[in-house]
């Protein structure tokens, strides 16, 4: 056998040309820009005509490939260079968002143009989102009037659901924040948004993308306080946003507080230290006793691993609540706080099925420990209970409530005899 390698056969004959559709097209937005600019110039200020032109052009022009160019032209009149300036060597149009009148009516008409375009060509949605994020990073390169128009448009599009509140992340850019551009832009944007939707709708959109807890980042670190935020937006006539931020801070503080309480309990810190800590937090964060007793109850009930057996879980709960009754007692000095605690116990026992039979035993224990008064229990029984497990819990409490009423009547008759 020969040691020499066999020569591989080679193909000879005609070389086939690559088909046109398989060739990689060169990215060249010039021709595309000229076509869009020409169409916008012909349509002029008639935004209905603009919408129709954009609708029909999508079949002939490659919107998918030149999505950034398309939105640059519609907003700024031409392709934008990094930083937000218009590219010098390109054709431009005067018929764009930045050259339009600065009023809500005109901005709403422009919002309709974008809305129709994105509804017609769904694939543009993501590109439009990215374009707005980019434009927000370029804010320093725009005039005040251009920023205002962009803010008003963004607010309307956020209200209509054409944009996600995730675009706001661009406003947390360090340079924009430092120079106050972000906060100023946010005022215009939120005014526009709140003119279309109420604060609950706005807060829901913010919450969906985790922006509800980040609004403080519109300000430099040394001004990132709830007081500064509230004053800034209240002075700008946005009290609703100011109240929303206060509420968010309060929710954040309560979450942190509950986490800390759970850690203190798991470490077995002395109750007197926990009580001092909680009193300090009430003052510091202006938390009501009612909110605090809800937090304490949740922290206590989250501090242990519960037994899976119903007959053992009641015993475990009684032991735990006996231990923490001085803590619960320290923050039920008001009748309303006692009622709040009763409602929390009712909800907890209903939501955690193993505790359904434990309700009465927990209430009696806390009555004996002077956490709950007979007035609060009777009020809960007669009128203040909620629907959750109502029939089960009222039945459980029937005998004890009768005993309380008899004890109250005996006490009253003894007082009358003494008189």
């Amino acid at each position: 056998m020969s040691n020499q390698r066999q020569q591989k056969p080679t193909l000879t004959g005609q070389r086939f040309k690559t088909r046109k559709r398989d060739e990689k097209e060169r990215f060249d937005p010039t021709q595309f820009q000229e076509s869009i600019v020409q169409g916008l110039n012909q349509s002029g200020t008639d935004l209905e005509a603009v919408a129709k032109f954009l609708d029909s052009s999508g079949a002939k022009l490659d919107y998918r490939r030149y999505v950034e160019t398309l939105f640059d032209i519609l907003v700024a009149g031409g392709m934008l260079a990094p930083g937000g300036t218009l590219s010098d060597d390109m054709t431009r149009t005067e018929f764009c968002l930045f050259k339009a009148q600065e009023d809500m009516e005109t901005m709403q008409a422009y919002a309709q143009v974008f809305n129709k375009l994105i509804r017609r060509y769904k694939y543009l949605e993501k590109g439009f989102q990215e374009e707005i994020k980019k434009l927000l990073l370029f804010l320093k390169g725009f005039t005040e009037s251009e920023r205002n128009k962009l803010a008003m448009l963004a607010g309307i599009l956020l209200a209509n659901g054409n944009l996600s509140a995730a675009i706001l992340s661009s406003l947390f850019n360090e340079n924009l924040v430092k120079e106050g551009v972000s906060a100023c832009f946010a005022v215009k944007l939120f005014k526009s948004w709140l003119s279309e939707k109420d604060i609950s709708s706005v807060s829901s959109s913010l919450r969906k993308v985790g922006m509800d807890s980040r609004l403080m980042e519109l300000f430099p670190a040394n001004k990132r306080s709830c007081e500064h935020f509230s004053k800034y937006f209240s002075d700008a006539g946005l009290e609703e946003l100011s109240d929303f931020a206060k509420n968010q801070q309060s929710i954040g503080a309560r979450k942190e507080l509950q986490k800390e309480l759970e850690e203190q309990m798991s470490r077995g810190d002395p109750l007197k230290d926990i009580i001092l800590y909680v009193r300090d937090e009430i003052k510091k964060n202006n938390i009501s006793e009612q909110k605090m007793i809800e937090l304490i109850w949740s922290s206590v009930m989250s501090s242990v691993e519960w037994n899976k057996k119903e007959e053992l879980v009641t015993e475990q709960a009684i032991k735990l609540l006996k231990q923490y009754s001085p803590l619960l007692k320290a923050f039920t000095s008001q009748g309303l706080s006692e009622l709040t605690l009763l409602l929390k116990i009712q909800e907890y026992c209903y939501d955690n099925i193993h505790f359904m039979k434990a309700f009465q035993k927990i209430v009696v224990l806390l009555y004996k420990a002077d956490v709950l008064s007979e007035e609060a229990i009777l009020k809960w029984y007669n009128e203040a209970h909620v629907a959750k497990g109502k029939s089960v819990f009222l039945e459980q409490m029937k005998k004890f409530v009768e005993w309380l009423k008899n004890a109250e009547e005996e006490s009253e008759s003894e007082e009358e005899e003494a008189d």
Side-chain angles (χ1 to χ4, degrees):
M1 188 186 276
S2 171
N3 287 337
Q4 280 186 330
R5 282 187 180 177
Q6 280 189 325
Q7 199 171 353
K8 288 183 180 176
T10 56
L11 288 170
T12 56
Q14 189 181 352
R15 186 182 292 274
F16 292 100
K17 285 185 179 177
T18 309
R19 279 183 286 185
K20 265 222 161 110
R21 65 188 170 96
D22 294 336
E23 283 179 3
K24 186 87 173 161
E25 270 188 75
R26 199 163 60 88
F27 183 77
D28 181 18
T30 314
Q31 191 61 49
F32 177 86
Q33 171 152 334
E34 281 174 5
S35 302
I36 295 291
V37 166
Q38 188 183 353
L40 292 177
N41 287 342
Q42 284 169 0
S43 304
T45 54
D46 181 355
L47 294 182
E48 279 292 326
V50 169
K52 280 176 187 168
F53 159 70
L54 292 170
D55 188 297
S56 60
S57 296
K60 297 171 277 182
L61 299 172
D62 195 348
Y63 282 176
R64 198 186 291 273
R65 188 173 174 77
Y66 299 111
V67 58
E68 187 178 359
T69 308
L70 174 64
F71 289 126
D72 273 2
I73 300 165
L74 293 175
V75 172
M79 274 182 70
L80 291 167
T85 54
L86 281 165
S87 302
D88 291 331
D89 55 342
M90 294 285 191
T91 320
R92 303 178 193 180
T93 179
E94 294 294 303
F95 301 105
C96 62
L97 180 84
F98 281 176
K99 298 293 181 185
Q101 278 183 273
E102 191 185 320
D103 59 65
M104 276 299 278
E105 196 181 339
T106 308
M107 293 305 107
Q108 278 164 337
Y110 262 95
Q112 276 306 305
V113 171
F114 286 105
N115 182 30
K116 284 174 186 173
L117 178 62
I118 290 160
R119 268 176 37 206
R120 175 74 177 83
Y121 299 103
K122 203 81 176 124
Y123 59 81
L124 292 174
E125 203 168 354
K126 193 182 174 197
F128 184 56
Q129 191 91 355
E130 292 306 312
E131 173 73 9
I132 297 294
K133 278 170 136 177
K134 178 194 83 174
L135 291 172
L136 296 189
L137 290 172
F138 290 172
L139 285 178
K140 278 168 67 181
F142 304 148
T143 66
E144 189 184 345
S145 176
E146 288 168 351
R147 286 179 205 165
N148 290 344
K149 289 168 201 170
L150 185 59
M152 288 155 81
L153 177 79
I156 296 163
L157 293 170
L158 282 161
N160 294 346
N162 295 121
L163 282 177
S164 155
I167 59 144
L168 298 175
S169 60
S170 292
L171 293 178
F172 306 142
N173 173 275
E174 193 182 344
N175 291 324
L176 295 175
V177 168
K178 195 165 65 180
E179 296 188 27
V181 174
S182 295
C184 191
F185 184 86
V187 165
K188 277 279 180 192
L189 180 145
F190 279 109
K191 275 190 175 176
S192 170
W193 194 352
L194 286 162
S195 73
E196 303 282 314
K197 295 282 181 183
D198 61 20
I199 190 66
S200 62
S201 170
V202 171
S203 60
S204 170
S205 299
L206 292 169
R207 211 169 281 122
K208 257 183 215 167
V209 290
M211 285 291 152
D212 53 326
S213 56
R214 294 192 64 192
L215 293 181
M216 295 285 172
E217 292 175 50
L218 291 166
F219 298 99
N222 62 340
K223 290 180 180 174
R224 218 166 274 174
S225 70
C226 194
E227 293 72 30
H228 179 78
F229 184 99
S230 295
K231 186 174 183 329
Y232 186 89
F233 284 100
S234 291
D235 290 350
L238 283 163
E239 285 83 3
E240 289 171 302
L241 194 65
S242 167
D243 292 342
F244 169 72
K246 281 180 192 168
N247 189 41
Q248 285 306 113
Q249 195 201 32
S250 175
I251 290 167
R254 292 202 294 269
K255 279 182 185 168
E256 284 299 310
L257 173 54
Q258 185 171 335
K259 193 177 159 194
E260 177 57 30
L261 273 175
E262 284 169 21
E263 283 177 12
Q264 288 181 9
M265 288 169 188
S266 66
R267 287 198 304 263
D269 289 7
L271 283 181
K272 60 177 177 36
D273 292 351
I274 298 177
I275 290 167
L276 282 172
Y277 167 74
V278 172
R279 285 201 173 123
D280 188 44
E281 288 298 311
I282 282 179
K283 279 182 197 164
K284 199 162 74 180
N285 292 299
N286 197 24
I287 301 171
S288 69
E289 192 179 75
Q290 289 76 50
K291 285 284 179 202
M292 187 52 81
I293 198 64
E294 287 182 342
L295 275 176
I296 293 168
W297 170 264
S298 299
S299 302
V300 168
M301 300 309 273
S302 302
S303 65
V304 293
E305 196 71 47
W306 293 106
N307 202 299
K308 297 285 184 282
K309 291 181 181 173
E310 195 173 348
E311 62 272 17
L312 296 175
V313 88
T314 303
E315 194 183 315
Q316 192 185 358
I318 295 300
K319 190 179 175 187
L320 180 75
L321 290 166
K322 211 176 223 173
Q323 180 190 342
Y324 283 107
S325 59
L327 176 62
L328 293 164
K329 186 182 176 183
F331 300 98
T332 45
S333 64
Q334 302 162 18
L336 191 55
S337 307
E338 291 179 50
L339 263 181
T340 303
L341 177 57
L342 270 164
L343 292 170
K344 281 300 281 184
I345 298 167
Q346 182 186 349
E347 284 177 10
Y348 186 88
C349 290
Y350 178 79
D351 292 339
N352 299 276
I353 199 156
H354 293 320
F355 283 82
M356 284 293 278
K357 291 180 182 174
F359 180 78
Q360 187 262 2
K361 289 187 171 68
I362 291 171
V363 174
V364 171
L365 166 80
L366 296 177
Y367 169 76
K368 288 179 179 173
D370 282 338
V371 176
L372 297 172
S373 65
E374 63 186 74
E375 291 84 10
I377 294 168
L378 291 172
K379 190 171 176 64
W380 171 85
Y381 186 86
N382 292 325
E383 57 184 274
H385 50 260
V386 289
K388 288 184 172 183
K390 178 176 105 173
S391 56
V392 176
F393 299 138
L394 289 179
E395 185 58 38
Q396 278 184 32
M397 291 295 293
K398 200 172 176 183
K399 283 184 182 172
F400 182 65
V401 165
E402 280 170 12
W403 179 83
L404 280 179
K405 283 178 180 171
N406 291 335
E408 195 177 18
E409 282 165 15
E410 281 172 25
S411 169
E412 281 172 8
S413 61
E414 280 171 14
E415 280 175 22
E416 280 170 16
E417 283 170 21
D419 288 345

